[in-house]
Every structure is written in C-alpha cells, then in structure tokens.
Amino acid sequence: MAGLARCQREAEEVTELMKQNFARALERDGRLQDLDNRAQELRTMGEVFTRSTRAVARQERRGHRRWRLVLAAIGLAAVLLLLLALGLALGLPRPPPANVIVIVTVPVPPASPTGRD
C-alpha cells in the first residue's frame, strides 16, 4: 500500500504542477494579448502620424510653389517694366536741338605806339 500512496502523492504533485503551469500560461496569454493590443495601437498611431506628416509636407510644398510663382511674377513684371522704360526712352521722338546763336566778340588790340605790329 505504501507504493500506491506514494504514486498517488506523486500524481497529486504532478497535477498541482500542471495546474500552476496552466495558470502561468493563462497569465502569459493575457500579457501577450496586452502586448498585441499595444502593438496594434502603435501601428494605428504610426499610420495616423504618417498621414499627417504627408499632409504637412504637401502644404509646405504648396507654400514653396506659391512663393516661387510670386517671385517669378515679380521678376517678370520687373523685366517687362525695364523693357517698357527702355522702349519709351529709345522710341520717343526727341525735340530738335534749338538754334543757338553764339556771338563772339573779339576785342581789337590797341595800336602800338611804334606803329609796328
């Protein structure tokens, strides 16, 4: 009978160990579920972040394009104004020069007392 009692006690110990192992496995499963949920949340947050960074990058590109267009328009306007001013300066008729009469009076040198020149 002693052998049967010992076998029964060992069977109970093994059963207890199996119950503990099963409880630990359930705990691990719960932790794994938590980790999986967190990973999914992080994936979702990453996707949202990626979308928002793309939107911000698009807005920045649009802003840079607008500035380039504004600067190009200002440059084109400056070139056109310069060409217009140059065309006006070269194309306008100039008034003819006024007739100027210059009178030069040359004083006659006084006669020398010796009569020689």
Side-chain angles (χ1 to χ4, degrees):
M1 272 289 226
L4 181 62
R6 191 185 70 191
C7 282
Q8 207 169 12
R9 195 175 46 240
E10 286 177 1
E12 288 174 8
E13 288 175 4
V14 169
T15 305
E16 187 62 33
L17 283 174
M18 292 294 286
K19 286 179 183 178
Q20 289 174 358
N21 286 343
F22 187 71
R24 287 184 195 145
L26 287 177
E27 285 177 25
R28 282 190 208 120
D29 186 48
R31 285 190 227 136
L32 286 174
Q33 282 290 350
D34 289 343
L35 287 175
D36 191 41
N37 291 340
R38 288 182 193 168
Q40 184 60 38
E41 288 174 8
L42 285 173
R43 265 188 238 113
T44 304
M45 289 170 50
E47 290 169 2
V48 169
F49 178 76
T50 301
R51 272 188 250 122
S52 66
T53 55
R54 285 181 185 155
V56 168
R58 241 182 278 124
Q59 287 175 344
E60 286 293 316
R61 282 193 301 269
R62 285 182 191 143
H64 288 295
R65 272 191 226 128
R66 284 185 192 128
W67 274 110
R68 278 187 289 209
L69 286 174
V70 166
L71 292 175
I74 289 171
L76 182 63
V79 168
L80 289 176
L81 284 174
L82 182 66
L83 290 175
L84 179 66
L86 188 61
L88 287 175
L90 294 176
L92 286 180
R94 293 192 181 114
N99 291 335
V100 178
I101 300 174
V102 178
I103 300 175
V104 178
T105 56
V106 179
V108 178
S112 62
T114 61
R116 294 190 211 157
D117 280 307

